[in-house]
Amino acid sequence: MMGRIQWKTFSVTIERGTEEVYEYIMNPENFAEWAISFCRSVKKTDSGWSIETAEGPMSLRFADGNPYGIMDHYVRAGAGNEKPNPARVIPDASGSKVIFTVFQAEDEADREYATTFRNVEEDLLALKSVLEKRTI
């Protein structure tokens, strides 16, 4: 596993219940609706889930379902290393807070890391928009 040299978190408050947010995010079929910075489409394959990105296809895997709000997902380009994307959802007043951590790998340039972090911000704001516009 690659070493980490720095990390940042981004959070967004969503005016939806924690269970609804968790179920939506943990469904890979919804990934392209909110991970708009890099995911063009999602499809089920014999070996799991595949996403189409500007850089080509990647595999997508989510953490096992759990009662703790852990929504980690993992992406892998080709035969490369799997990249973890830690995420949590926790109750926040009448809604939920989604917390996402972005780690910088030792071999990742600062500019690339900054772009990744901006993309995560964009994705979580898209997630907020999608979920808050949904009818229950």
Side-chain angles (χ1 to χ4, degrees):
M1 178 175 215
M2 292 182 276
R4 310 278 184 218
I5 59 174
Q6 66 176 318
W7 56 271
K8 292 182 185 181
T9 59
F10 182 75
S11 65
V12 64
T13 300
I14 299 174
E15 295 302 319
R16 291 286 187 226
T18 304
E19 288 180 19
E20 181 183 355
V21 172
Y22 180 84
E23 292 299 321
Y24 178 83
I25 291 174
M26 292 294 286
N27 181 347
E29 294 173 334
N30 296 329
F31 199 69
E33 290 182 25
W34 64 271
I36 60 174
S37 69
F38 74 103
C39 181
R40 307 294 181 250
S41 64
V42 179
K43 68 179 177 181
K44 180 83 169 125
T45 67
D46 292 339
S47 60
W49 292 92
S50 177
I51 59 174
E52 190 60 42
T53 73
E55 292 82 34
M58 294 185 179
S59 65
L60 172 66
R61 176 176 74 82
F62 281 84
D64 293 336
N66 63 83
Y68 309 111
I70 298 169
M71 307 179 300
D72 298 354
H73 65 277
Y74 308 83
V75 295
R76 178 191 319 262
N81 291 328
E82 189 173 62
K83 181 180 179 190
N85 295 285
R88 305 291 182 268
V89 60
I90 59 173
D92 184 38
S94 64
S96 301
K97 184 173 293 284
V98 172
I99 305 164
F100 195 103
T101 304
V102 180
F103 290 100
Q104 181 181 19
E106 286 181 3
D107 63 346
E108 184 177 27
D110 288 344
R111 174 179 273 161
E112 182 180 346
Y113 177 65
T115 298
T116 299
F117 190 72
R118 280 192 306 275
N119 289 346
V120 167
E121 289 179 315
E122 178 183 342
D123 292 347
L124 291 183
L125 292 173
L127 174 67
K128 175 182 176 68
S129 178
V130 167
L131 284 171
E132 289 183 351
K133 289 179 182 174
R134 290 178 67 186
T135 57
I136 298 175

